[in-house]
Amino acid sequence: MPQVDTTLLEDAIDVQLGLEADDETPFAEKVLRDSGIAMTLDARDALPLVRGWRHALTPPSGGGAGARLERARGLIALAMIVLGLLAGTSLALAAFHYDGSQPVNVVRLLGLLVGLQLLFLILTLLLALPGGLPVVRGLQEMLTALNPGAWAASLLARFRGDDAARALFDWRGRAGATRFAKWQMLAWSQVAAVAFHLAALATAFALVTFSDLAFGWSSTLTVDPMQVTHIVGVIAWPWQALVPAAVPDALLVEQSQFFRLSSVEGRVGADSRALTGWWPFTICALLFYGLIPRLALLGFAAWRLRAATQALLLDNPRVTALVDRMRSPSIETEADSHEEHRDAAAAPAPRPDRAPGGRAVAIVWEASVDPDAVRQEARQRFG
């Protein structure tokens, strides 16, 4: 069996193009060729048969339409990683900004790096829902305009300029391409999101390690420190058994409350050592509410993208006909040894005196036989 060293998307593109160009090949020749290729493959499932057919018929050279589209897809994924890294670093620097006059506000930090990202995560989950209901489909079309993966897909379809790219990344195209476009868009956006949270975590670790940060909390609402302690405990529930030190206690919560308009010069510097106790909580919040959900969603999107790409390859009438030809048994018309001459009395059966009555319907699959040849064969066989 030829070694498969191409991606599933490359084969999905090149197999479709190869079968379209193969339409002019006579049907009998295609059956003989494809069944012969199947005999060299140790497979009966449709996917390895089709991919093996592509590699046996046209060995990949790296210059085909599928390879070009795969390279463009890789460049977009790299661009999404860079975009996520830059955004995560910038936002973390802003959230952890500390100039010595005021502590880092934990409420604002969680709002920017946790709350806002959880909102984006919920919107992404809405995009991942099946779009069968009109309400869901309308909401998804609205959210698509805000998704960075959709922006990347639109740019790729526009600058590539060929029909294959436009059809693949058309959200409203045929069913197979729509499913592929949806999960490719979501996979790209999750690549950017994972890069964002990795950069935010790395920036936070660097600032905690190489600078002296002081944390506190403040709100314009009248909130009792005990209520804040309870809220913090609820937020820290996912890791309280794994990292108990990352759960602020009531004393830390009470000592770290500050008021935006009533700070006294020197107060922060005097209490900064006590206020550093918030950093394990913030790091764990970024990890458990930011990076881990995005990694899980990226894995799910990659799994669904592979299934959509496989459907893009196999859910096609030409591919179905190809698999049927490859699975059909090979019939030999020559005997291994010379057969004895049969008695001349064994003549073929006489032709019937009259043709069978009634109407008959002949089905020609994919125009594999010329209609005139069908009529001639019918006249010879049935008069």
Side-chain angles (χ1 to χ4, degrees):
M1 178 177 177
Q3 184 180 1
V4 177
D5 54 359
T6 56
T7 65
L8 199 56
L9 178 62
E10 290 183 58
D11 289 340
I13 298 298
D14 291 338
V15 164
Q16 301 295 339
L17 295 177
L19 289 175
E20 289 177 8
D22 202 37
D23 284 343
E24 301 300 325
T25 305
F27 178 74
E29 182 179 337
K30 289 194 287 189
V31 171
L32 186 62
R33 178 200 65 197
D34 298 339
S35 60
I37 292 176
M39 294 178 63
T40 66
L41 305 176
D42 185 19
R44 293 294 295 172
D45 293 335
L47 183 61
L49 279 176
V50 174
R51 300 187 76 181
W53 175 87
R54 185 255 174 173
H55 285 253
L57 197 63
T58 54
S61 60
R68 292 194 301 270
L69 192 60
E70 187 62 65
R71 286 193 292 268
R73 187 169 72 156
L75 289 175
I76 289 221
L78 180 61
M80 300 303 286
I81 291 174
V82 173
L83 179 64
L85 291 175
L86 292 176
T89 303
S90 302
L91 194 58
L93 287 174
F96 282 92
H97 176 70
Y98 176 60
D99 59 3
S101 61
Q102 289 285 349
V104 177
N105 193 338
V106 177
V107 176
R108 185 183 63 214
L109 187 151
L110 293 180
L112 289 174
L113 295 179
V114 177
L116 188 61
Q117 304 310 314
L118 286 177
L119 175 61
F120 290 155
L121 180 64
I122 293 172
L123 296 179
T124 303
L125 291 175
L126 290 176
L127 277 175
L129 291 175
L133 296 177
V135 176
V136 176
R137 187 164 57 251
L139 181 61
Q140 288 177 339
E141 290 182 358
M142 181 181 66
L143 293 176
T144 300
L146 306 175
N147 190 285
W151 304 341
S154 299
L155 288 175
L156 178 60
R158 177 175 300 179
F159 289 109
R160 281 276 304 167
D162 53 33
D163 294 336
R166 280 192 292 268
L168 275 179
F169 300 107
D170 184 8
W171 180 265
R172 302 174 185 84
R174 64 183 179 88
T178 298
R179 189 162 63 250
F180 173 85
K182 169 183 175 177
W183 290 109
Q184 179 63 86
M185 175 190 68
L186 289 174
W188 275 335
S189 63
Q190 296 323 294
V191 166
V194 168
F196 173 92
H197 288 95
L198 283 174
L201 273 170
T203 303
F205 269 117
L207 290 175
V208 168
T209 304
F210 299 107
S211 62
D212 186 14
L213 297 181
F215 295 87
W217 65 273
S218 176
S219 174
T220 55
L221 302 176
T222 304
V223 183
D224 185 76
M226 292 305 299
Q227 293 178 332
V228 174
T229 303
H230 176 71
I231 294 173
V232 168
V234 172
I235 295 174
W237 178 81
W239 65 82
Q240 62 181 358
L242 297 174
V243 193
V247 183
D249 54 19
L251 180 61
L252 177 60
V253 171
E254 184 178 1
Q255 289 180 346
S256 58
Q257 183 179 14
F258 70 95
F259 298 93
R260 180 166 51 89
L261 300 178
S262 61
S263 61
V264 180
E265 184 178 358
R267 175 183 179 275
V268 174
D271 297 341
S272 60
R273 291 186 179 274
L275 301 183
T276 58
W278 280 95
W279 77 263
F281 171 81
T282 59
I283 295 296
C284 287
L286 294 177
L287 178 64
F288 281 85
Y289 290 107
L291 181 60
I292 291 178
R294 290 297 186 170
L295 284 173
L297 193 53
L298 175 60
F300 179 75
W303 170 57
R304 297 307 303 156
L305 177 60
R306 178 173 178 80
T309 309
Q310 181 174 327
L312 192 68
L313 172 59
L314 298 179
D315 293 352
N316 184 281
R318 287 189 177 93
V319 176
T320 302
L322 170 63
V323 174
D324 290 340
R325 294 195 300 268
M326 298 185 76
R327 286 174 174 170
S328 62
S330 179
I331 301 176
E332 296 289 341
T333 58
E334 294 184 357
D336 294 334
S337 60
H338 177 71
E339 294 184 359
E340 295 294 333
H341 177 67
R342 295 182 180 272
D343 187 32
R351 177 179 171 179
D353 293 335
R354 61 188 181 87
R359 290 177 56 83
V361 177
I363 298 176
V364 180
W365 182 259
E366 287 194 339
S368 57
V369 183
D370 184 74
D372 293 335
V374 175
R375 297 188 188 96
Q376 182 180 356
E377 181 72 14
R379 282 194 295 269
Q380 291 176 354
R381 288 184 175 272
F382 305 114

